[in-house]
Amino acid sequence: MKIGIVCYPTFGGSGVVATELGKALAAKGNEVHFISYSRPVRLPPPSPSDNRASGEHCERSSFGSGWIFFHEVSVIDYPLFDYSPYEILLSSKLTDVAKRYKLDLLHVHYAIPHASAAYMAKQVLASQGLRIKVVTTLHGTDITLIGKDPAFEPVITFSINASDAVTAVSQSLKEDTLKNFPVKKEISVIPNFVCMEDYAVENRKEKRKQYAAYGENILLHVSNFRRVKRVEDVLRVFDKVRKEIPAKLILIGEGPERANIDKLCKELDTCGDIHSLGKIKDVEKIIGLADLFLLTSETESFGLAALEAMAAKVPVISTNTGGIPEVNVHGFSGFLSNVGDVDDMAKNALSILKDDKSLDLFRNNAYEQAKKFSIEKILPMYERLYEEVTTPLYLSPKGRG
Ligand code: GMT
């Protein structure tokens, strides 16, 4: 199959899921075209022997038994524009790539502005007698935060209804979509996934020495440091834990809350026990060095970072918001607390870390729970959906667009 994947190229979970999905599809013999304003961070660099189509910001690499292409949407500067019209540039690129490579479908990740850009491309192609199917995957804040702003709502609702198929990464996100938008379209839940083998850590004991002395516990948090992540709660939980047992905190990521975090660590006098690694590419190499993963978000449609931690055998202390309870099972792979209840989170963390036996049990449970979301289990759900949508006899079920 020839599939166009549209995503944000950054470290965010939606881009990670889209890229890993595309890689897995290519490995199975499909031709996958990534289309974005820059190369997705999880895409392997093209090898020197790969073909480079000159002059059109496109590169091609063989991958498994298939192919991966990357098409860059060049952002055009023009004195009249204060803001470059990215959505039009994306629609034009989608139209061009779909036509030139005879794509069967476009799979867009994150509704804003990808779903409406794909709708526009579909209409342009239709005006030229060409057909393409559009699958939209809803990821989180495109629905729960920014998306429900009245400034976006009408177009999001329209482009969800106009997609040929829509998926949400958790049951909770599906329910939020139906609650916040007058959507008639059927939404299939296809959860996020991990490639379990990517998270195995070699020489764990040795590598931990870089961050903590023997006998010290390592707590870890990964995010884009936006307000919704409540990273200050991570610091407060850590502070309570390290008052009871020796511990270090690793922070991975960057974002707007950074200055507040720096201020709070000074106030709490914890800066000396925190390793701030910033944005790093190989999170999977570090995450498994930790003993506990902290996810303190206000809202979280799924919590991919928590799943990645569990795949690396790291139990999760999290809030019980959104889709997190579908991933982290209370008392098994970790614990869930109310948003902002840092006392409860610290108490739960200490109950896991109290001895090796308890930690080992939670580590193994976390790993078992992560296996339910292994790529081998989830990929066929997308493949089935693609088959359904592209079959010539596919009829939109009642109420679908
Ligand atoms: O919505 C965002 O915060 C960005 C988005 C992303 O691109 O990282 O994150 C969302 O999608 C992830 C992948 O499906 C989910 O694991 C995150 O839980 C979700 N973030 C939120 O709901 C806050």
Side-chain angles (χ1 to χ4, degrees), residues 8 10-17 110 137-146 169 173 192 224 226 228-229 295 297 299-305 324:
Y8 283 101
T10 51
F11 286 93
S14 61
V16 168
V17 167
Y110 206 88
T137 290
L138 308 172
H139 276 274
T141 51
D142 46 351
I143 295 300
T144 57
L145 218 67
I146 181 85
V169 298
L173 184 60
N192 287 332
N224 44 22
R226 282 174 304 156
V228 68
K229 303 288 175 180
L295 187 65
S297 307
T299 162
E300 198 73 61
S301 68
F302 185 89
L304 183 66
I324 301 179

Side-chain angles (χ1 to χ4, degrees), residues 139-175:
H139 276 274
T141 51
D142 46 351
I143 295 300
T144 57
L145 218 67
I146 181 85
K148 67 180 182 193
D149 188 311
F152 285 112
E153 185 279 317
V155 173
I156 296 190
T157 302
F158 176 82
S159 41
I160 290 175
N161 282 330
S163 301
D164 293 289
V166 179
T167 77
V169 298
S170 63
Q171 182 62 30
S172 150
L173 184 60
K174 173 177 174 170
E175 284 161 19

Side-chain angles (χ1 to χ4, degrees), residues 2 8 11 15 28 71 73 80 128 137 139 142 160 173 179 182 186 190 209 215 237 305 355 362 372 380-381 391:
K2 294 183 176 192
Y8 283 101
F11 286 93
K28 290 183 79 175
H71 307 270
V73 181
L80 188 65
Q128 300 170 15
T137 290
H139 276 274
D142 46 351
I160 290 175
L173 184 60
K179 197 169 72 202
E186 186 178 309
I190 303 189
K209 286 184 189 159
V237 173
D355 56 46
F362 274 91
K372 295 186 184 152
M381 297 169 83
T391 171

